[in-house]
Amino acid sequence: MNLLATDHVLETPALDVAGIRAQFPILERQVHGRPLIYFDNAATSQTPLCVIDTFRDYYGRFNANIHRGLHTLADEATAAYEGSRETVRAFLNAADRREIIFTRGTTEAINLVANSWGRANLEPGDEVLVSLLEHHSNIVPWQLLADQLGIVVKVIPVDERGVLDLDAYCTLFTERTRLVAVNHVSNAFGTINPVREMSTIAHDHDARILIDGAQATPHQAVDVRGIDADFYAFSGHKVYGPTGAGVLYGKAELLEAMPPWQGGGEMIKSVSFDVPTTFADIPHKFEAGTPAIAEVIALGVALDWVSGVGLARIGVWEAELLARATAGVSRIDGLRLLGTAPDKAGVLSFVVDGAHSQDIALLIDQLGVAIRTGNHCAQPLLARFGVDATCRASFAVYNTLEEVDSFVDALERVVGMVR
Ligand code: PLP
């Protein structure tokens, strides 16, 4: 937890959780006749009215294709889309809005780096370090390159708490290490990784660092320049925005030197059969075809909303929810927490002896509580802990302590039924 941020929060008014909840119509839903308790935020967070309204506004008032049109609607759509790029730049504290590439999400952003930077810069025998905490989307693109280019993927191990072993990290570097690809926050366990330190170590070894920020951006302020990230990726739908829009941040000098990875409209300067086709400058070089215009605009609205609430305050509130939930579930007989890092985001992963995680999730849904079960796209991590699935409750700013208490009661009931 960032102590400076916490101090700042203590001086600012407390979070108005009721006022925040009123902005999320979905939270009024009943599920199986009970009020919805939505604890699947690490998979997808819910969207506030201002984000939902953006779609009505866009399609109702200025739906048009961007960049190419000379009419008013096209101008307005382009201005809103490019305005969103500026919002993302400020959100990440990037130096230049040209460093912000819109993608479909984190997965596409990482695949862009693998297929553009990776193919241009990696040779057989070169090494990419990933951590055992990674989501499959930060493992498989590198494994594909290992198959196709002959690079080597090496894995940073974790200890019993799900904390990355930094000594082992340092020993994995060789003169062939070109890239570290690591998440900022683990989706399966909630571990917050020391990405600033890891970035310094990577750069000391002349390697680049790509950070998967899918689970960090909803919970803490991110400063890509402070971290000195070479690449940073996140998804809109986990940070109160829509699906279909995400971001790749990349340092301008890297992006400028990278070849395009998809060809088509919007990403060229000129196309010819007689002389070589030339490509647009960044960021457009990496945004071939018509993008998800409404979604990108809505992502900007979501980030403004998050910044308005205040990420420092969000982090403090979620830490309180996590502490209450951890204490509550720890009293349940046979329940084992996985991921007990001292530095953790609002994610609670657990298994119960003698009970299938799937049964727990299905039964607790009958009580109105939405949690996730499965491997969380982190099979290697779960295998390290000898399980193939966990239950995961994950928190967002609109969750309440009362919801946490109801969840613990419901879980106790369910565990009593299935054991
Ligand atoms: N990385 C992490 C840490 C995630 O939690 C997720 C989604 O759960 C992803 C990457 C993939 O995100 P998306 O499916 O939005 O591309």
Side-chain angles (χ1 to χ4, degrees):
M1 173 66 56
N2 179 339
L3 288 179
L4 273 178
T6 316
D7 286 349
H8 170 71
V9 167
L10 295 179
E11 290 162 15
T12 57
L15 209 59
D16 172 15
V17 180
I20 287 171
R21 287 181 69 82
Q23 299 175 53
F24 288 81
I26 205 166
L27 299 178
E28 288 161 21
R29 258 202 76 160
Q30 302 262 313
V31 170
H32 303 299
R34 293 167 188 266
L36 167 68
I37 296 179
Y38 188 78
F39 282 173
D40 194 17
N41 296 289
T44 287
S45 55
Q46 299 301 343
T47 44
L49 269 174
C50 59
V51 173
I52 299 169
D53 287 348
T54 302
F55 286 89
R56 192 181 173 87
D57 193 37
Y58 172 76
Y59 286 109
R61 290 199 317 112
F62 60 104
N63 175 27
N65 212 326
I66 54 170
H67 295 139
R68 286 167 288 201
L70 286 179
H71 57 83
T72 303
L73 266 55
D75 273 354
E76 289 176 8
T78 304
Y81 183 90
E82 292 301 327
S84 206
R85 203 185 303 276
E86 171 55 24
T87 303
V88 175
R89 185 209 61 73
F91 187 77
L92 294 178
N93 193 31
D96 187 331
R97 78 180 74 157
R98 295 178 311 130
E99 299 179 314
I100 307 300
I101 316 285
F102 289 116
T103 64
R104 279 194 299 128
T106 307
T107 304
E108 191 174 71
I110 296 171
N111 277 276
L112 191 167
V113 177
N115 284 289
S116 173
W117 182 89
R119 285 178 188 282
N121 290 281
L122 297 176
E123 293 182 353
D126 281 348
E127 294 166 359
V128 172
L129 308 188
V130 301
S131 89
L132 197 58
L133 288 172
E134 296 317 302
H135 187 280
H136 295 163
S137 62
N138 203 17
I139 298 175
V140 182
W142 309 112
Q143 289 180 329
L144 290 173
L145 280 194
D147 287 347
Q148 294 160 5
L149 299 183
I151 65 160
V152 179
V153 177
K154 293 165 83 173
V155 185
I156 311 160
V158 297
D159 70 13
E160 283 305 311
R161 302 164 302 167
V163 174
L164 281 186
D165 182 339
L166 279 194
D167 291 336
Y169 171 59
C170 293
T171 62
L172 285 173
F173 284 89
T174 71
E175 75 282 358
R176 300 303 305 267
T177 309
R178 299 281 174 263
L179 179 76
V180 173
V182 68
N183 60 35
H184 196 161
V185 173
S186 150
N187 66 309
F189 285 3
T191 311
I192 301 174
N193 291 315
V195 287
R196 180 68 193 87
E197 200 178 338
M198 295 180 80
S199 161
T200 304
I201 295 167
H203 291 144
D204 284 348
H205 289 87
D206 287 331
R208 299 291 180 186
I209 186 161
L210 175 151
I211 299 166
D212 167 356
Q215 297 294 339
T217 41
H219 308 297
Q220 63 185 83
V222 170
D223 177 351
V224 289
R225 278 186 286 175
I227 296 168
D228 199 13
D230 294 302
F231 300 104
Y232 196 97
F234 73 94
S235 298
H237 69 99
K238 295 184 195 291
V239 63
Y240 307 101
T243 55
V247 169
L248 173 69
Y249 158 82
K251 284 181 181 163
E253 73 266 22
L254 293 176
L255 294 175
E256 274 162 353
M258 283 160 53
W261 80 306
Q262 289 179 341
E266 301 271 353
M267 51 73 71
I268 51 89
K269 269 191 184 131
S270 71
V271 178
S272 167
F273 288 119
D274 304 318
V275 292
T277 289
T278 55
F279 304 117
D281 295 328
I282 59 167
H284 306 295
K285 180 170 69 173
F286 295 109
E287 293 181 4
T290 302
I293 302 168
E295 286 79 359
V296 163
I297 296 170
L299 169 59
V301 173
L303 297 184
D304 278 340
W305 183 85
V306 170
S307 301
V309 175
L311 273 158
R313 283 198 289 173
I314 292 175
V316 169
W317 178 238
E318 288 174 351
E320 203 172 325
L321 295 169
L322 178 68
R324 177 91 141 227
T326 306
V329 303
S330 299
R331 289 193 293 271
I332 298 176
D333 230 20
L335 185 143
R336 179 161 63 99
L337 287 174
L338 283 98
T340 50
D343 220 4
K344 248 186 89 162
V347 170
L348 197 71
S349 229
F350 58 89
V351 290
V352 178
D353 292 342
H356 285 294
S357 296
Q358 220 174 358
D359 292 341
I360 293 175
L362 284 171
L363 284 169
I364 207 164
D365 177 64
Q366 296 295 313
L367 301 175
V369 184
I371 61 169
R372 179 140 299 236
T373 184
N375 61 47
H376 315 299
C377 298
Q379 283 181 354
L381 178 67
L382 267 54
R384 149 78 171 79
F385 286 82
V387 296
D388 55 17
T390 75
C391 290
R392 181 187 72 186
S394 52
F395 309 112
V397 63
Y398 41 66
N399 291 131
T400 65
L401 293 170
E402 292 73 28
E403 285 183 320
V404 169
D405 293 344
S406 302
F407 155 69
V408 172
D409 288 348
L411 187 60
E412 227 165 352
R413 265 181 73 188
V414 164
V415 168
M417 285 158 73
V418 292
R419 283 188 84 209

